């Protein structure tokens, strides 16, 4: 191919150039010195955008001063009065599982896979590790006295532990599928648990003996949430139907039902005085406060712009706190329903990142409010958000001249924006499902879009006119394969398409016919990218190897060494001499000429769906299913591998 060996860091870089680079990154770093965007960064990263997706894990510290929020990027600790970020806890135990505080606030229990870690709540020093579950632990609850910890697991058991000695006291067997909730009654005499998927039952246990008292089976579908009344006499439940049910704890009888307008009830929680039950739903974006005695709707709290996943009252009962899929944590006055404050910044899957052609702006798709985010690369400042999509974003890309920005959503809608003003130029609505891939031709007049509906559309950008529809044999319908990625050749005449098959197809844009099939991958191909000059096509997929193809002949040129994970994304450096590839957690920087992996960037917790070099090749942006975007300083990484 005539590809020259890359120089990872030029040996003859003069002192002036070194000074300029140093000043730039020192300036960038200092602008974030006290920002949470720089907390616990992996080596080589200079900033993290997005707090990760919150997963319904809201826990107040017992004194009510702080709130812990479980997210895909770790556990965030917030000041409950101001909403200010106080701490980010990262590491294996903080990125998975569930958590609970002892009533006296001294012990923080955190589940990590099948183990339960008991930590000092203030110092985070480990007191003990409880082992015994054979699969992941999903739920934890301390007894009111704090002497006992209950845990529910995928292994279908509930286990009771002596907090002081770590001794396993009881193993409660009654569920037939994973246990997703355990709750102690306020008087500590009973314990309730719920199953999942194949087990839509609620079990009520004697907390001292472990005896199964009642099995409640009248809930017709999945149970999402349970809550004891403050007097311990009643258990409320919500699930995948419109009803909130109230059960007599002593007899197990259904004593009352509230029928709501929601298709599901995801969260129920009693107020401390017991007169009000709060509920949230995936059906709409509201929180409902119900009069427990009459079943009447007392208040509706409006503010979230997406479904409400979790609710919790502050220890003093004065504030109701909610977490929604809109990326916000909201604090409400429990009496008046007034919105007191909002914590923002929690994000959704970061499926796409791209630099502007001049390198000054980074665009990304992680915002939970479905807006396109544009940030200043040097300062990290959010320049603007482009709002209008009605579903989460799946792809973003700049035109080569930097004037137009295209964004695709999970719903299949594509929007074309003026990149400078943010003005919406066109809305393209042919796709029936999400759009994971967008690609401009070098002249910016042609845009190709690939959808989960297994269709590729080719558009004339100035007018939004549809030029070509490609569906014929784009996939093997008998195997139910789907489009995973596609990219336009720089000349705008050839389209490379990757599906769940082992084959890459090169399509002629003018005729809509297949020109060549590239065969060589052992399993599904997930990602494809042309080199800047268009001479080489790179591909990666489930067989963990990057393959380089001659773009003209379709000949397989080289195969890189296997990586430790499926390859989810790929990109060439601007000079064509390096390749960045995202896997399930790591990013590899590889030499095109030799196929050797120069560096491995470790920091994302989930699949890296998008990688992009800055135009000068000195930075790399990565977007991941951990709902964060990382910006990496390649000059630091390169100098260590020179």
């Amino acid at each position: 191919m005539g590809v020259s060996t890359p120089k990872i860091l030029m040996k003859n870089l003069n002192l002036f150039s070194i000074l300029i680079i140093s000043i730039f990154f020192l300036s960038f770093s200092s602008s974030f010195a006290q920002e949470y965007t720089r907390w616990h960064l992996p080596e080589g990263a200079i900033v993290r955008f997005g707090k990760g997706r919150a997963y319904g894990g809201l826990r107040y510290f017992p004194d009510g001063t702080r709130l812990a929020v479980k997210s895909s990027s770790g556990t965030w600790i917030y000041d409950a009065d101001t909403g200010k970020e106080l701490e980010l806890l990262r590491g294996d135990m903080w990125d998975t599982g569930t958590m609970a505080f002892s009533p006296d606030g001294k012990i923080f229990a955190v589940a990590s896979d099948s183990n339960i870690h008991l930590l000092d709540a203030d110092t985070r020093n480990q007191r003990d590790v409880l082992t015994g579950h054979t699969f992941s632990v999903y739920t934890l609850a301390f007894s009111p006295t704090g002497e006992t910890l209950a845990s529910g697991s995928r292994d279908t058991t509930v286990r009771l532990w002596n907090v002081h000695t770590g001794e396993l006291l009881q193993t409660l067997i009654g569920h037939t599928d994973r246990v997703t909730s355990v709750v102690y009654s306020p008087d500590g005499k009973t314990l309730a648990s719920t199953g999942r998927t194949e087990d839509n039952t609620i079990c009520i246990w004697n907390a001292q003996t472990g005896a199964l008292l009642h099995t409640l089976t009248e809930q017709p579908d999945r149970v999402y949430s349970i809550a004891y009344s403050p007097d311990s006499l009643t258990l409320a439940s919500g699930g995948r139907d419109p009803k909130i049910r109230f059960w007599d704890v002593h007899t197990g009888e259904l004593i009352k039902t509230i029928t709501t307008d929601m298709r599901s009830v995801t969260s129920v929680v009693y107020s401390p005085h017991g007169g009000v039950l709060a509920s949230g739903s995936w059906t709409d974006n509201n929180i409902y406060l119900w009069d427990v005695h009459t079943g009447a709707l007392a208040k509706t709290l409006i503010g979230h712009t997406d479904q409400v996943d979790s609710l919790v009252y502050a220890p003093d009962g004065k504030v109701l706190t909610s977490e929604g899929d809109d990326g916000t944590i909201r604090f409400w006055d429990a009496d008046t329903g007034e919105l007191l404050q909002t914590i923002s910044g929690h994000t959704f899957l970061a499926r796409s990142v791209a630099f502007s052609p001049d390198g000054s702006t980074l665009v990304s798709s992680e915002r939970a409010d479905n807006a396109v985010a544009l940030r200043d690369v040097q300062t990290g400042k959010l320049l603007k958000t482009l709002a209008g999509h009605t579903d989460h974003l799946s792809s973003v890309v700049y035109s080569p001249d930097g004037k137009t920005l295209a964004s695709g959503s999970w719903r299949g809608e594509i929007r074309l924006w003026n990149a400078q003003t943010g003005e919406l130029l066109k809305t393209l609505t042919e796709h029936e499902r999400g759009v994971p891939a967008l690609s401009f031709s070098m002249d910016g007049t042609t845009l190709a879009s690939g959808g989960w509906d297994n269709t590729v559309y080719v558009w004339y950008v100035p007018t939004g006119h549809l030029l070509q529809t490609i569906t014929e044999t784009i996939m093997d319908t008998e195997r139910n394969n789907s489009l995973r990625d596609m990219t336009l050749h720089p000349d705008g005449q050839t389209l490379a398409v990757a599906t769940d098959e082992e084959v890459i197809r090169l399509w002629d844009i003018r005729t809509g016919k297949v020109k060549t099939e590239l065969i060589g991958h052992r399993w599904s191909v997930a990602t494809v990218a042309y080199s800047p000059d268009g001479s080489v096509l790179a591909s990666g997929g489930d067989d963990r190897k990057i393959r380089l193809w001659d773009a003209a002949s379709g000949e397989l040129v080289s195969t890189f060494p296997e990586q430790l994970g499926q390859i989810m994304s790929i990109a060439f450096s601007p000079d064509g001499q390096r390749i960045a590839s995202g896997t399930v957690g790591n990013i590899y920087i590889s030499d095109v000429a030799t196929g050797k992996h120069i560096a491995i960037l470790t920091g994302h917790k989930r699949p890296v769906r998008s990688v992009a070099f800055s135009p000068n090749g000195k930075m790399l942006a990565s977007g991941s299913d951990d709902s964060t975007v990382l910006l990496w300083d390649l000059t630091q990484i390169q100098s260590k591998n020179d």
Side-chain angles (χ1 to χ4, degrees):
M1 290 189 300
V3 180
S4 61
T5 302
K7 301 296 184 182
I8 304 308
L9 182 67
M10 292 187 297
K11 296 288 190 179
N12 60 349
L13 196 65
N14 60 49
L15 292 175
F16 179 75
S17 298
I18 294 174
L19 180 62
I20 293 299
I21 293 172
S22 299
I23 290 173
F24 171 80
F25 284 109
L26 284 173
S27 173
F28 189 99
S29 297
S30 65
S31 68
F32 285 95
Q34 304 301 321
E35 294 287 334
Y36 66 81
T37 55
R38 287 181 53 81
W39 291 353
H40 302 294
L41 291 177
E43 185 177 3
I46 52 180
V47 67
R48 179 190 298 109
F49 299 122
K51 296 178 181 178
R53 187 179 182 186
Y55 280 101
L58 300 179
R59 297 290 186 275
Y60 270 97
F61 282 67
D63 63 5
T65 61
R66 290 166 290 172
L67 179 73
V69 178
K70 199 79 171 177
S71 86
S72 56
S73 66
T75 299
W76 291 87
I77 308 298
Y78 292 101
D79 184 296
D81 292 326
T82 66
K84 180 178 175 57
E85 301 85 4
L86 298 177
E87 193 175 2
L88 171 61
L89 306 176
R90 280 180 63 86
D92 290 341
M93 80 168 68
W94 301 109
D95 300 333
T96 59
T98 185
M99 57 189 176
F101 285 102
S102 61
D104 62 7
K106 294 181 179 181
I107 301 176
F108 199 178
V110 180
S112 178
D113 294 326
S114 62
N115 297 329
I116 303 165
H117 300 265
L118 300 184
L119 310 172
D120 184 285
D122 292 321
T123 67
R124 314 286 190 263
N125 292 331
Q126 186 162 279
R127 294 185 173 199
D128 205 349
V129 180
L130 311 181
T131 60
H133 281 292
T134 56
F135 289 103
S136 297
V137 175
Y138 292 137
T139 178
L140 296 170
F142 278 93
S143 64
T145 63
E147 302 291 319
T148 306
L149 179 70
S151 58
S153 167
R154 187 179 177 182
D155 65 14
T156 75
T157 69
V158 176
R159 300 189 184 221
L160 306 183
W161 311 84
N162 183 305
V163 173
H164 302 296
T165 67
E167 177 190 359
L168 177 61
L169 302 174
Q170 299 278 353
T171 299
L172 313 184
I173 298 174
H175 290 287
T176 58
D177 202 342
R178 67 191 70 179
V179 179
T180 55
S181 298
V182 291
V183 182
Y184 268 98
S185 61
D187 63 11
K189 294 181 179 179
T190 63
L191 178 78
S193 60
T194 64
R196 182 70 178 269
T197 309
E198 301 300 328
D199 179 0
N200 303 316
T201 62
I202 302 170
C203 292
I204 300 178
W205 313 83
N206 183 305
Q208 277 69 49
T209 67
L212 179 60
L213 302 176
H214 307 290
T215 301
L216 313 180
T217 59
E218 288 87 344
Q219 194 98 15
D221 208 330
R222 186 176 301 177
V223 183
Y224 290 136
S225 181
I226 53 176
Y228 273 99
S229 60
D231 61 10
S232 301
L233 299 178
T234 305
L235 185 75
S237 66
R240 195 160 57 180
D241 73 355
K243 296 181 179 181
I244 300 172
R245 294 173 173 84
F246 297 85
W247 312 86
D248 186 296
V249 172
H250 294 310
T251 66
E253 294 179 359
L254 179 64
I255 55 177
K256 186 186 300 183
T257 299
I258 295 176
T259 301
T260 73
D261 293 330
M262 302 174 282
R263 289 198 303 270
S264 62
V265 180
T266 57
S267 185
V268 292
V269 59
Y270 273 95
S271 62
H273 58 69
V276 173
L277 185 85
S279 68
S281 173
W282 289 339
T283 306
D284 58 25
N285 312 326
N286 300 330
I287 300 163
Y288 298 97
L289 304 184
W290 306 91
D291 186 301
V292 170
H293 304 295
T294 66
L297 178 62
K299 286 187 179 67
T300 302
L301 310 185
I302 300 173
H304 281 288
T305 58
D306 207 335
Q307 63 193 36
V308 178
D309 292 326
S310 183
L311 294 169
V312 62
Y313 276 95
D316 63 6
K318 295 180 180 179
V319 176
L320 176 66
T321 306
S322 58
E323 176 264 309
D325 263 9
D326 58 6
T328 66
I329 313 295
R330 297 178 185 249
F331 297 77
W332 313 82
D333 185 293
D335 293 325
T336 67
E338 177 190 359
L339 179 61
L340 302 174
Q341 67 169 321
T342 301
I343 294 173
S344 60
H346 285 280
T347 38
F348 193 67
L349 306 178
R351 288 289 173 89
S352 189
V353 294
F355 285 95
S356 61
D358 65 5
S360 65
T361 306
L362 179 71
V363 61
S364 56
S365 65
E366 82 285 352
R367 285 180 64 94
D369 61 3
N370 309 328
V372 182
L374 287 80
R375 294 184 174 90
D376 185 288
V377 170
Q378 187 168 359
T379 66
K381 179 182 179 182
L382 185 64
L383 300 174
K384 61 170 70 79
T385 58
L386 310 181
H389 280 290
T390 56
D391 204 349
H392 297 299
L393 297 180
S394 51
S395 52
V396 290
V397 64
Y398 273 99
S399 62
D401 62 9
K403 294 180 180 179
T404 306
L405 181 65
S407 57
S409 81
W410 286 39
R411 189 163 292 183
E413 178 186 77
I414 301 167
R415 293 190 169 223
L416 302 180
W417 313 84
N418 182 306
Q420 278 70 49
T421 67
E423 176 190 0
L424 178 63
L425 303 175
K426 298 282 187 306
T427 301
L428 314 176
T429 58
E430 291 295 322
H431 283 288
E432 296 179 358
R433 296 181 61 203
V435 182
L438 294 168
S439 182
F440 277 100
S441 61
M442 283 303 295
D443 64 9
T445 62
T446 303
L447 176 71
S449 61
W452 290 326
D453 56 7
N454 298 309
T455 302
V456 173
Y457 293 111
V458 182
W459 311 87
Y460 182 61
V461 174
T463 63
H465 177 65
L466 181 61
L467 297 175
Q468 185 66 266
T469 301
I470 298 175
T471 57
E472 183 183 357
T473 67
I474 199 169
M475 67 166 190
D476 182 344
T477 54
E478 292 184 1
R479 294 173 57 181
N480 196 31
N481 293 321
S482 61
L483 184 144
R484 298 182 72 176
D485 196 15
M486 54 107 246
T487 185
L488 267 176
H489 190 278
D491 66 10
Q493 301 303 309
T494 303
L495 185 75
V497 178
T499 70
D500 281 331
E501 298 176 271
E502 302 88 355
V503 178
I504 303 165
R505 294 187 176 89
L506 304 185
W507 296 78
D508 187 304
I509 290 298
R510 293 163 296 184
T511 65
K513 303 296 182 181
V514 175
K515 297 167 60 176
T516 309
E517 289 189 344
L518 310 183
I519 301 174
H521 281 279
R522 293 170 53 202
W523 296 313
S524 300
V525 182
T527 180
V528 288
Y530 279 105
S531 61
D533 64 4
S535 64
V536 179
L537 179 72
S539 61
D542 292 354
D543 61 8
R544 304 182 180 187
K545 293 182 179 180
I546 296 173
R547 288 173 169 79
L548 300 184
W549 312 82
D550 184 285
S553 67
E555 177 188 356
L556 178 62
V557 176
S558 63
T559 301
F560 288 13
E562 185 172 300
Q563 301 180 11
L564 296 176
Q566 298 162 305
I567 300 171
M568 317 296 290
S569 54
I570 200 165
F572 278 92
S573 62
D575 60 8
Q577 296 181 352
R578 290 165 293 162
I579 284 179
S581 54
T583 67
V584 184
N586 297 328
I587 302 165
Y588 287 74
I589 308 295
S590 307
D591 183 311
V592 170
T594 66
K596 292 182 179 179
H597 302 314
I598 301 164
I600 302 177
L601 313 181
T602 302
H604 284 296
K605 298 296 182 181
R606 297 187 183 178
V608 180
R609 298 286 186 174
S610 181
V611 287
F613 283 92
S614 62
N616 63 9
K618 295 174 182 176
M619 286 189 286
L620 183 79
S622 57
S624 167
D625 279 356
D626 65 12
S627 301
T628 67
V629 172
L630 285 172
L631 196 57
W632 307 83
D633 175 5
L634 295 184
T635 64
Q636 295 178 17
I637 297 163
Q638 291 165 0
S639 63
K640 294 179 180 179
N641 294 275
D642 182 41

